[in-house]
Amino acid sequence: MALNYTTSFPLTLPTSPSNFKSSRFELERKSAISESPFTGKQQVQLFNNFSFWRATLTLPPMKRSDAGNWTAFFAKLRGRSGTFLLGDPDGTKQGAGTGTITLASATAVGDTRLSTTGYAQSSGNVLKAGDYVSINNDLHIVIADATKSSTNVNVDIDPAVKAIHSQGATVTISGAKGTFRLDNEVVGWDADQASLYGFTFTCSEAV
């Protein structure tokens, strides 16, 4: 039977409460490691294409007036079939960069450096290590300070680019988000006798 409503994914998180009580943000990688039983010497093979974000999030206690928006949000996701936008809740940008930032050249799958342009600053650190950027909702962390000395600024990132992005694509440097989905088909919430609701959920990058 067809649903009587349509939902456009990815969804946007409800805006109240404005922050999480606690959050854990993770980047999962995978390597193959073999160790010699005679010398203990190790060989490591990094699977660079295996990399995605995970998060465990707990919301502060809230009354039903706010909780209703969250219960509806989870219902609209329809388990793991739907997606939503999420960034590191504590990932406030530290660099001074502002402006309309775009790619100065197209990316290729596997790139770990972006050539960017459009910064309002004439020089200086526009992004700092630990800042986040996103392109078409693909989320990356900046792994070295990015300094502007000419029109284009190189930004070293991790994880590597997973898709081709064309020259001129928008690079979000403030409030960067990726596309996530729930880790579980079952999501629930708690409520006490004072009608205070509690929510904890886990999610992973939709790749």
Side-chain angles (χ1 to χ4, degrees):
M1 179 180 294
L3 294 171
N4 292 326
Y5 66 91
T6 58
T7 302
S8 297
F9 297 114
L11 299 179
T12 300
L13 293 176
T15 56
S16 182
S18 60
N19 210 339
F20 293 96
K21 177 183 177 182
S22 63
S23 63
R24 178 176 176 82
F25 219 66
E26 303 172 328
L27 179 59
E28 182 174 348
R29 308 301 298 263
K30 185 164 286 189
S31 302
I33 302 177
S34 62
E35 183 176 296
S36 169
F38 306 104
T39 66
K41 186 174 181 179
Q42 296 175 334
Q43 290 185 323
V44 180
Q45 173 64 51
L46 173 65
F47 299 114
N48 202 41
N49 290 333
F50 187 101
S51 58
F52 57 94
W53 297 100
R54 293 187 180 275
T56 301
L57 304 161
T58 299
L59 285 154
M62 68 186 80
K63 299 294 284 186
R64 180 160 175 74
S65 55
D66 285 329
N69 291 325
W70 282 95
T71 56
F73 166 78
F74 289 123
K76 284 189 290 186
L77 286 172
R78 301 199 289 275
R80 302 190 69 220
S81 63
T83 58
F84 57 94
L85 296 178
L86 177 71
D88 185 344
D90 200 42
T92 305
K93 181 169 66 70
Q94 302 296 302
T98 58
T100 302
I101 315 305
T102 61
L103 288 176
S105 59
T107 66
V109 174
D111 283 352
T112 56
R113 171 170 285 185
L114 306 176
S115 179
T116 62
T117 190
Y119 297 91
Q121 290 70 26
S122 58
S123 62
N125 288 107
V126 291
L127 292 168
K128 290 195 171 184
D131 285 344
Y132 292 89
V133 299
S134 62
I135 311 166
N136 296 326
N137 297 330
D138 287 339
L139 183 65
H140 307 275
I141 191 168
V142 178
I143 60 174
D145 289 354
T147 302
K148 182 176 182 183
S149 58
S150 61
T151 301
N152 297 343
V153 178
N154 288 328
V155 181
D156 293 323
I157 59 165
D158 197 73
V161 172
K162 296 184 178 74
I164 295 173
H165 303 293
S166 60
Q167 180 181 357
T170 298
V171 180
T172 300
I173 64 171
S174 183
K177 295 178 173 63
T179 305
F180 284 72
R181 70 174 76 251
L182 295 175
D183 285 342
N184 202 307
E185 297 286 358
V186 179
V187 64
W189 44 89
D190 302 308
D192 63 16
Q193 61 184 5
S195 290
L196 281 176
Y197 283 70
F199 299 85
T200 296
F201 62 99
T202 61
C203 55
S204 301
E205 185 181 8
V207 294

